[in-house]
PDB file of all heavy atoms in Angstrom:
ATOM      1  N   ARG A  43     212.362 -57.196 167.244  1.00 93.00           N
ATOM      2  CA  ARG A  43     212.029 -58.113 168.357  1.00 93.00           C
ATOM      3  C   ARG A  43     212.911 -59.347 168.281  1.00 93.00           C
ATOM      4  O   ARG A  43     213.360 -59.734 167.213  1.00 93.00           O
ATOM      5  CB  ARG A  43     210.565 -58.527 168.260  1.00 93.00           C
ATOM      6  CG  ARG A  43     210.297 -59.532 167.117  1.00 93.00           C
ATOM      7  CD  ARG A  43     208.798 -59.869 167.006  1.00 93.00           C
ATOM      8  NE  ARG A  43     208.062 -58.792 166.346  1.00 93.00           N
ATOM      9  CZ  ARG A  43     206.757 -58.722 166.301  1.00 93.00           C
ATOM     10  NH1 ARG A  43     206.023 -59.645 166.870  1.00 93.00           N
ATOM     11  NH2 ARG A  43     206.145 -57.750 165.658  1.00 93.00           N
ATOM     12  N   PRO A  44     213.179 -60.000 169.414  1.00 93.00           N
ATOM     13  CA  PRO A  44     213.859 -61.300 169.382  1.00 93.00           C
ATOM     14  C   PRO A  44     212.974 -62.308 168.701  1.00 93.00           C
ATOM     15  O   PRO A  44     211.764 -62.387 168.969  1.00 93.00           O
ATOM     16  CB  PRO A  44     214.055 -61.655 170.851  1.00 93.00           C
ATOM     17  CG  PRO A  44     213.902 -60.355 171.568  1.00 93.00           C
ATOM     18  CD  PRO A  44     212.925 -59.536 170.800  1.00 93.00           C
ATOM     19  N   GLN A  45     213.543 -63.109 167.806  1.00 94.00           N
ATOM     20  CA  GLN A  45     212.812 -64.145 167.085  1.00 94.00           C
ATOM     21  C   GLN A  45     213.353 -65.508 167.424  1.00 94.00           C
ATOM     22  O   GLN A  45     214.560 -65.771 167.338  1.00 94.00           O
ATOM     23  CB  GLN A  45     212.868 -63.905 165.574  1.00 94.00           C
ATOM     24  CG  GLN A  45     212.091 -62.686 165.137  1.00 94.00           C
ATOM     25  CD  GLN A  45     211.927 -62.619 163.648  1.00 94.00           C
ATOM     26  OE1 GLN A  45     212.935 -62.643 162.948  1.00 94.00           O
ATOM     27  NE2 GLN A  45     210.709 -62.561 163.146  1.00 94.00           N
ATOM     28  N   LEU A  46     212.461 -66.407 167.813  1.00 94.00           N
ATOM     29  CA  LEU A  46     212.819 -67.788 168.128  1.00 94.00           C
ATOM     30  C   LEU A  46     213.260 -68.475 166.843  1.00 94.00           C
ATOM     31  O   LEU A  46     212.505 -68.536 165.863  1.00 94.00           O
ATOM     32  CB  LEU A  46     211.657 -68.517 168.734  1.00 94.00           C
ATOM     33  CG  LEU A  46     211.831 -69.976 169.105  1.00 94.00           C
ATOM     34  CD1 LEU A  46     212.880 -70.143 170.205  1.00 94.00           C
ATOM     35  CD2 LEU A  46     210.503 -70.586 169.525  1.00 94.00           C
ATOM     36  N   ILE A  47     214.511 -68.987 166.803  1.00 96.00           N
ATOM     37  CA  ILE A  47     215.017 -69.639 165.577  1.00 96.00           C
ATOM     38  C   ILE A  47     215.124 -71.144 165.748  1.00 96.00           C
ATOM     39  O   ILE A  47     215.004 -71.878 164.769  1.00 96.00           O
ATOM     40  CB  ILE A  47     216.344 -69.047 165.142  1.00 96.00           C
ATOM     41  CG1 ILE A  47     217.417 -69.105 166.224  1.00 96.00           C
ATOM     42  CG2 ILE A  47     216.161 -67.612 164.656  1.00 96.00           C
ATOM     43  CD1 ILE A  47     218.816 -68.732 165.739  1.00 96.00           C
ATOM     44  N   ILE A  48     215.385 -71.620 166.946  1.00 96.00           N
ATOM     45  CA  ILE A  48     215.503 -73.045 167.183  1.00 96.00           C
ATOM     46  C   ILE A  48     215.475 -73.281 168.695  1.00 96.00           C
ATOM     47  O   ILE A  48     215.870 -72.361 169.443  1.00 96.00           O
ATOM     48  CB  ILE A  48     216.742 -73.652 166.535  1.00 96.00           C
ATOM     49  CG1 ILE A  48     216.672 -75.183 166.458  1.00 96.00           C
ATOM     50  CG2 ILE A  48     218.007 -73.209 167.252  1.00 96.00           C
ATOM     51  CD1 ILE A  48     217.726 -75.827 165.559  1.00 96.00           C
ATOM     52  N   ASP A  49     215.028 -74.436 169.114  1.00 94.00           N
ATOM     53  CA  ASP A  49     215.066 -74.760 170.519  1.00 94.00           C
ATOM     54  C   ASP A  49     215.332 -76.239 170.710  1.00 94.00           C
ATOM     55  O   ASP A  49     215.205 -77.030 169.755  1.00 94.00           O
ATOM     56  CB  ASP A  49     213.761 -74.345 171.237  1.00 94.00           C
ATOM     57  CG  ASP A  49     212.507 -74.965 170.623  1.00 94.00           C
ATOM     58  OD1 ASP A  49     212.604 -75.929 169.826  1.00 94.00           O
ATOM     59  OD2 ASP A  49     211.411 -74.454 170.894  1.00 94.00           O
ATOM     60  N   ILE A  50     215.717 -76.627 171.916  1.00 93.00           N
ATOM     61  CA  ILE A  50     215.990 -78.034 172.194  1.00 93.00           C
ATOM     62  C   ILE A  50     215.558 -78.321 173.613  1.00 93.00           C
ATOM     63  O   ILE A  50     215.649 -77.468 174.507  1.00 93.00           O
ATOM     64  CB  ILE A  50     217.480 -78.328 171.953  1.00 93.00           C
ATOM     65  CG1 ILE A  50     217.725 -79.864 171.977  1.00 93.00           C
ATOM     66  CG2 ILE A  50     218.391 -77.628 172.977  1.00 93.00           C
ATOM     67  CD1 ILE A  50     219.103 -80.246 171.450  1.00 93.00           C
ATOM     68  N   ARG A  51     215.068 -79.538 173.819  1.00 90.00           N
ATOM     69  CA  ARG A  51     214.682 -79.955 175.154  1.00 90.00           C
ATOM     70  C   ARG A  51     215.703 -80.937 175.705  1.00 90.00           C
ATOM     71  O   ARG A  51     216.488 -81.537 174.946  1.00 90.00           O
ATOM     72  CB  ARG A  51     213.304 -80.601 175.106  1.00 90.00           C
ATOM     73  CG  ARG A  51     212.258 -79.592 174.664  1.00 90.00           C
ATOM     74  CD  ARG A  51     210.844 -80.184 174.576  1.00 90.00           C
ATOM     75  NE  ARG A  51     209.986 -79.277 173.819  1.00 90.00           N
ATOM     76  CZ  ARG A  51     209.430 -78.204 174.322  1.00 90.00           C
ATOM     77  NH1 ARG A  51     209.639 -77.890 175.585  1.00 90.00           N
ATOM     78  NH2 ARG A  51     208.672 -77.434 173.559  1.00 90.00           N
ATOM     79  N   SER A  52     215.657 -81.139 176.993  1.00 85.00           N
ATOM     80  CA  SER A  52     216.757 -81.889 177.648  1.00 85.00           C
ATOM     81  C   SER A  52     216.746 -83.347 177.311  1.00 85.00           C
ATOM     82  O   SER A  52     217.710 -84.052 177.652  1.00 85.00           O
ATOM     83  CB  SER A  52     216.695 -81.691 179.150  1.00 85.00           C
ATOM     84  OG  SER A  52     215.451 -82.120 179.660  1.00 85.00           O
ATOM     85  N   ASN A  53     215.683 -83.859 176.691  1.00 84.00           N
ATOM     86  CA  ASN A  53     215.667 -85.268 176.335  1.00 84.00           C
ATOM     87  C   ASN A  53     216.261 -85.524 174.944  1.00 84.00           C
ATOM     88  O   ASN A  53     216.207 -86.651 174.433  1.00 84.00           O
ATOM     89  CB  ASN A  53     214.241 -85.825 176.429  1.00 84.00           C
ATOM     90  CG  ASN A  53     213.282 -85.098 175.491  1.00 84.00           C
ATOM     91  OD1 ASN A  53     213.579 -83.994 175.037  1.00 84.00           O
ATOM     92  ND2 ASN A  53     212.116 -85.653 175.305  1.00 84.00           N
ATOM     93  N   VAL A  54     216.813 -84.462 174.350  1.00 82.00           N
ATOM     94  CA  VAL A  54     217.385 -84.568 172.998  1.00 82.00           C
ATOM     95  C   VAL A  54     218.797 -84.002 173.039  1.00 82.00           C
ATOM     96  O   VAL A  54     219.058 -83.016 173.715  1.00 82.00           O
ATOM     97  CB  VAL A  54     216.522 -83.757 172.005  1.00 82.00           C
ATOM     98  CG1 VAL A  54     217.168 -83.745 170.627  1.00 82.00           C
ATOM     99  CG2 VAL A  54     215.124 -84.336 171.952  1.00 82.00           C
ATOM    100  N   GLY A  55     219.708 -84.650 172.296  1.00 89.00           N
ATOM    101  CA  GLY A  55     221.090 -84.186 172.308  1.00 89.00           C
ATOM    102  C   GLY A  55     221.431 -83.231 171.190  1.00 89.00           C
ATOM    103  O   GLY A  55     222.360 -82.427 171.302  1.00 89.00           O
ATOM    104  N   GLU A  56     220.644 -83.313 170.099  1.00 93.00           N
ATOM    105  CA  GLU A  56     220.964 -82.504 168.938  1.00 93.00           C
ATOM    106  C   GLU A  56     219.676 -82.276 168.132  1.00 93.00           C
ATOM    107  O   GLU A  56     218.835 -83.147 168.060  1.00 93.00           O
ATOM    108  CB  GLU A  56     222.015 -83.146 168.083  1.00 93.00           C
ATOM    109  CG  GLU A  56     222.459 -82.311 166.876  1.00 93.00           C
ATOM    110  CD  GLU A  56     223.638 -82.931 166.115  1.00 93.00           C
ATOM    111  OE1 GLU A  56     224.190 -83.948 166.585  1.00 93.00           O
ATOM    112  OE2 GLU A  56     224.028 -82.361 165.084  1.00 93.00           O
ATOM    113  N   LYS A  57     219.613 -81.091 167.530  1.00 93.00           N
ATOM    114  CA  LYS A  57     218.443 -80.781 166.683  1.00 93.00           C
ATOM    115  C   LYS A  57     218.951 -79.930 165.538  1.00 93.00           C
ATOM    116  O   LYS A  57     219.782 -79.028 165.750  1.00 93.00           O
ATOM    117  CB  LYS A  57     217.381 -80.065 167.494  1.00 93.00           C
ATOM    118  CG  LYS A  57     216.091 -79.760 166.741  1.00 93.00           C
ATOM    119  CD  LYS A  57     215.088 -79.110 167.693  1.00 93.00           C
ATOM    120  CE  LYS A  57     213.793 -78.735 167.011  1.00 93.00           C
ATOM    121  NZ  LYS A  57     212.862 -78.119 167.946  1.00 93.00           N
ATOM    122  N   LYS A  58     218.421 -80.181 164.327  1.00 95.00           N
ATOM    123  CA  LYS A  58     218.885 -79.443 163.151  1.00 95.00           C
ATOM    124  C   LYS A  58     217.707 -78.926 162.343  1.00 95.00           C
ATOM    125  O   LYS A  58     216.670 -79.590 162.251  1.00 95.00           O
ATOM    126  CB  LYS A  58     219.728 -80.378 162.286  1.00 95.00           C
ATOM    127  CG  LYS A  58     220.471 -79.696 161.183  1.00 95.00           C
ATOM    128  CD  LYS A  58     221.445 -80.625 160.497  1.00 95.00           C
ATOM    129  CE  LYS A  58     222.215 -79.885 159.408  1.00 95.00           C
ATOM    130  NZ  LYS A  58     223.179 -80.751 158.694  1.00 95.00           N
ATOM    131  N   ASP A  59     217.886 -77.710 161.822  1.00 93.00           N
ATOM    132  CA  ASP A  59     216.859 -77.130 160.961  1.00 93.00           C
ATOM    133  C   ASP A  59     217.588 -76.378 159.867  1.00 93.00           C
ATOM    134  O   ASP A  59     218.063 -75.264 160.043  1.00 93.00           O
ATOM    135  CB  ASP A  59     215.968 -76.169 161.776  1.00 93.00           C
ATOM    136  CG  ASP A  59     214.856 -75.566 160.930  1.00 93.00           C
ATOM    137  OD1 ASP A  59     214.741 -75.937 159.722  1.00 93.00           O
ATOM    138  OD2 ASP A  59     214.109 -74.736 161.447  1.00 93.00           O
ATOM    139  N   GLN A  60     217.739 -77.005 158.726  1.00 95.00           N
ATOM    140  CA  GLN A  60     218.438 -76.457 157.559  1.00 95.00           C
ATOM    141  C   GLN A  60     219.867 -76.102 157.986  1.00 95.00           C
ATOM    142  O   GLN A  60     220.652 -76.988 158.312  1.00 95.00           O
ATOM    143  CB  GLN A  60     217.647 -75.304 156.974  1.00 95.00           C
ATOM    144  CG  GLN A  60     216.245 -75.718 156.519  1.00 95.00           C
ATOM    145  CD  GLN A  60     215.463 -74.557 155.892  1.00 95.00           C
ATOM    146  OE1 GLN A  60     215.655 -73.387 156.195  1.00 95.00           O
ATOM    147  NE2 GLN A  60     214.602 -74.927 154.960  1.00 95.00           N
ATOM    148  N   ARG A  61     220.248 -74.814 157.917  1.00 97.00           N
ATOM    149  CA  ARG A  61     221.632 -74.440 158.208  1.00 97.00           C
ATOM    150  C   ARG A  61     221.914 -74.228 159.690  1.00 97.00           C
ATOM    151  O   ARG A  61     223.036 -73.915 160.080  1.00 97.00           O
ATOM    152  CB  ARG A  61     221.946 -73.137 157.465  1.00 97.00           C
ATOM    153  CG  ARG A  61     221.916 -73.268 155.957  1.00 97.00           C
ATOM    154  CD  ARG A  61     222.419 -71.979 155.269  1.00 97.00           C
ATOM    155  NE  ARG A  61     221.568 -70.799 155.588  1.00 97.00           N
ATOM    156  CZ  ARG A  61     221.927 -69.822 156.387  1.00 97.00           C
ATOM    157  NH1 ARG A  61     223.114 -69.829 156.986  1.00 97.00           N
ATOM    158  NH2 ARG A  61     221.109 -68.817 156.601  1.00 97.00           N
ATOM    159  N   ILE A  62     220.900 -74.431 160.524  1.00 97.00           N
ATOM    160  CA  ILE A  62     221.061 -74.194 161.957  1.00 97.00           C
ATOM    161  C   ILE A  62     220.927 -75.483 162.722  1.00 97.00           C
ATOM    162  O   ILE A  62     220.081 -76.313 162.429  1.00 97.00           O
ATOM    163  CB  ILE A  62     219.962 -73.197 162.439  1.00 97.00           C
ATOM    164  CG1 ILE A  62     220.133 -71.854 161.764  1.00 97.00           C
ATOM    165  CG2 ILE A  62     220.003 -73.045 163.938  1.00 97.00           C
ATOM    166  CD1 ILE A  62     219.008 -70.875 162.047  1.00 97.00           C
ATOM    167  N   ALA A  63     221.839 -75.672 163.697  1.00 97.00           N
ATOM    168  CA  ALA A  63     221.781 -76.817 164.541  1.00 97.00           C
ATOM    169  C   ALA A  63     222.088 -76.408 165.978  1.00 97.00           C
ATOM    170  O   ALA A  63     222.802 -75.446 166.223  1.00 97.00           O
ATOM    171  CB  ALA A  63     222.756 -77.887 164.083  1.00 97.00           C
TER     172      ALA A  63
END
Side-chain angles (χ1 to χ4, degrees):
Chain A
R43 75 183 76 191
Q45 290 192 303
L46 178 65
I47 57 172
I48 195 167
D49 56 16
I50 192 168
R51 298 179 193 280
S52 59
N53 58 346
V54 175
E56 183 173 355
K57 184 177 178 180
K58 191 171 181 180
D59 182 4
Q60 299 183 331
R61 296 186 297 108
I62 296 173

